[in-house]
Amino acid sequence: MSRLLAVAELGQSIWLDYIRRDLVESGALERLIVEDGLRGLTSNPAIFEKAIAGSSQYDVSLAGHVRAGQRDPEQLVEVLATEDIRLAADAFDRLYRDSGGVDGYVSLEVSPRLANDSARTLSEARRLWRTVGRPNLMIKVPGTPAGVPVVRQLIAEGINVNVTLLFSRSAYRAVAEAYLAGAEDWLKSGGDPAKLASVASFFVSRIDTAVDAELAKLGSEALALSGQVAIANAKLAYQDYLELCASPRWQALAQRGVRPQRLLWASTGVKNPAWRDTLYVEALIGPETVNTVPPATLDAFRDHGVAARGLDQDVAFARTVMAAVERLGIPFEKITEQLAGDGVQLFVDAWAQLLQAVAGKRDALEQA
């Protein structure tokens, strides 16, 4: 059995954090679904920037849209991205239906420029949902303070949501509350509980990168925590999820057929070359969760990953790690807030670079 299929046996869905047109058109995505049990796909502005600006695969399609009179770079990017998203969603359609809507989702992000504007994020999310027109689409909305009410409203309207850029347990709990409230609103309006789907994307590796820089300033005792804080934080977030699932409020929804909003582990590529390259995947395998991995991490786990349930193991040690972080005076909440802001900015920068590259390609086509 593929090591990736073995993860599915333990209750976790592996999604791919990558998209490019040849992935679908070459049949590679279909092979990943069939042979490795891949169960979903995520995208973001940085991924599209590398795909569209960094290759010639989109040039024919781009030329056609330019000839048709489309000049606005933002509109051109959207049409190219939504073409990819539809292709990928169609590739996952059978899995989506066979799994009863549990898996088979493809995610598309609202423009990161709107991350702090609730009204415009909501409007854009609704528009993208209609434009793509696939039931197995998830709209990615950042878990910023402005994004949380958007999550509730989208769920209340039956629009699938991938809440992204979550770094702290407090941010996750706010998002989980939004999902509960949105699901309650959806049911009150007569909505079908089977049509609701959401994941909460909790970021991992960036936390270790930031915290380890602080640990390095504090000496040997602190350095002993290197590479452990992100995993500990994620394990405790999963405990928050289990506590929520045991609550009477959630049980009332579950009894009516609402599926849980699964935690999705994001940013699971290992940044430190001294560590095992499958570290975050192996440590965070557990039931009713998703791990979205970049291609290199997917290949590494297929080659030498160990599929074993670890997410709900050593929880007491995880609490000890986080207590030590607090005792050492590391401003963890401040770090996670900064990471969320930085994450938005990284996507804004990637979006700007993508628009610039597409505008340049458009100009070259018009002058040819």
Side-chain angles (χ1 to χ4, degrees), residues 15 38 76 78 114-115 137 178 194 200 227 248-249 253 267 285 316 320 344:
W15 292 6
L38 189 73
L76 288 168
E78 182 180 308
L114 309 179
L137 172 69
R249 186 180 180 191
L253 288 169
S267 183
I285 296 173
T320 299
V344 170

Side-chain angles (χ1 to χ4, degrees), residues 167 169 172 202-204 207 228-243 263 265 279-286 289 308-319 321-322:
F167 293 88
R169 293 168 64 196
Y172 163 62
F202 201 86
F203 280 54
V204 184
I207 288 177
Q228 299 185 58
V229 175
I231 290 170
N233 189 47
K235 286 188 174 187
L236 296 184
Y238 185 65
Q239 292 300 305
D240 293 337
Y241 164 82
L242 294 177
E243 183 179 322
L263 272 163
W265 312 121
L279 171 69
Y280 296 125
V281 179
E282 292 171 345
L284 301 178
I285 296 173
T289 57
R309 182 166 168 170
L311 183 55
D312 51 3
Q313 309 299 308
D314 302 319
V315 174
F317 179 69
R319 297 189 194 281
V321 168
M322 298 311 295

Side-chain angles (χ1 to χ4, degrees), residues 179-247:
Y179 178 69
L180 288 177
E184 289 164 345
D185 293 342
W186 173 246
L187 292 182
K188 284 176 190 173
S189 69
D192 181 355
K195 294 190 182 233
L196 283 182
S198 181
V199 293
S201 292
F202 201 86
F203 280 54
V204 184
S205 67
R206 295 185 198 180
I207 288 177
D208 273 339
T209 299
V211 172
D212 284 2
E214 296 296 317
L215 294 173
K217 304 173 186 175
L218 300 176
S220 58
E221 179 194 358
L223 283 173
L225 297 173
S226 179
Q228 299 185 58
V229 175
I231 290 170
N233 189 47
K235 286 188 174 187
L236 296 184
Y238 185 65
Q239 292 300 305
D240 293 337
Y241 164 82
L242 294 177
E243 183 179 322
L244 175 69
C245 288
S247 69

Side-chain angles (χ1 to χ4, degrees), residues 270-283:
V270 176
K271 305 290 194 294
N272 190 330
W275 300 343
R276 184 173 170 82
D277 56 2
T278 53
L279 171 69
Y280 296 125
V281 179
E282 292 171 345

Side-chain angles (χ1 to χ4, degrees), residues 109-239:
E109 190 147 350
V110 170
S111 170
R113 292 175 171 176
L114 309 179
N116 296 311
D117 188 327
S118 299
R120 291 180 66 196
T121 296
L122 179 59
S123 176
E124 187 75 353
R126 287 168 172 158
R127 189 182 65 77
L128 288 174
W129 175 257
R130 293 192 301 268
T131 298
V132 174
R134 297 295 188 273
N136 55 333
L137 172 69
M138 279 192 177
I139 300 294
K140 289 181 81 172
V141 174
T144 58
V148 170
V150 176
V151 173
R152 173 176 179 167
Q153 185 58 38
L154 292 174
I155 293 299
E157 296 176 16
I159 296 175
N160 305 325
V161 184
N162 177 339
V163 191
T164 188
L165 291 175
L166 299 173
F167 293 88
S168 72
R169 293 168 64 196
S170 59
Y172 163 62
R173 288 192 291 265
V175 163
E177 162 67 27
Y179 178 69
L180 288 177
E184 289 164 345
D185 293 342
W186 173 246
L187 292 182
K188 284 176 190 173
S189 69
D192 181 355
K195 294 190 182 233
L196 283 182
S198 181
V199 293
S201 292
F202 201 86
F203 280 54
V204 184
S205 67
R206 295 185 198 180
I207 288 177
D208 273 339
T209 299
V211 172
D212 284 2
E214 296 296 317
L215 294 173
K217 304 173 186 175
L218 300 176
S220 58
E221 179 194 358
L223 283 173
L225 297 173
S226 179
Q228 299 185 58
V229 175
I231 290 170
N233 189 47
K235 286 188 174 187
L236 296 184
Y238 185 65
Q239 292 300 305

Side-chain angles (χ1 to χ4, degrees), residues 16-21 23-24 41-44 47-48 51 58 81 84-85 88 106:
L16 181 65
D17 194 28
Y18 176 80
I19 193 168
R20 204 169 75 167
R21 189 149 303 182
L23 176 72
V24 185
L41 180 147
T42 51
S43 69
N44 61 48
I47 288 172
F48 275 119
Y58 298 81
D84 275 8
I85 292 295
V106 177

Side-chain angles (χ1 to χ4, degrees), residues 289-310:
T289 57
V290 178
N291 197 324
T292 187
V293 297
T297 304
L298 186 82
D299 291 342
F301 194 88
R302 183 194 298 109
D303 179 70
H304 53 265
V306 177
R309 182 166 168 170

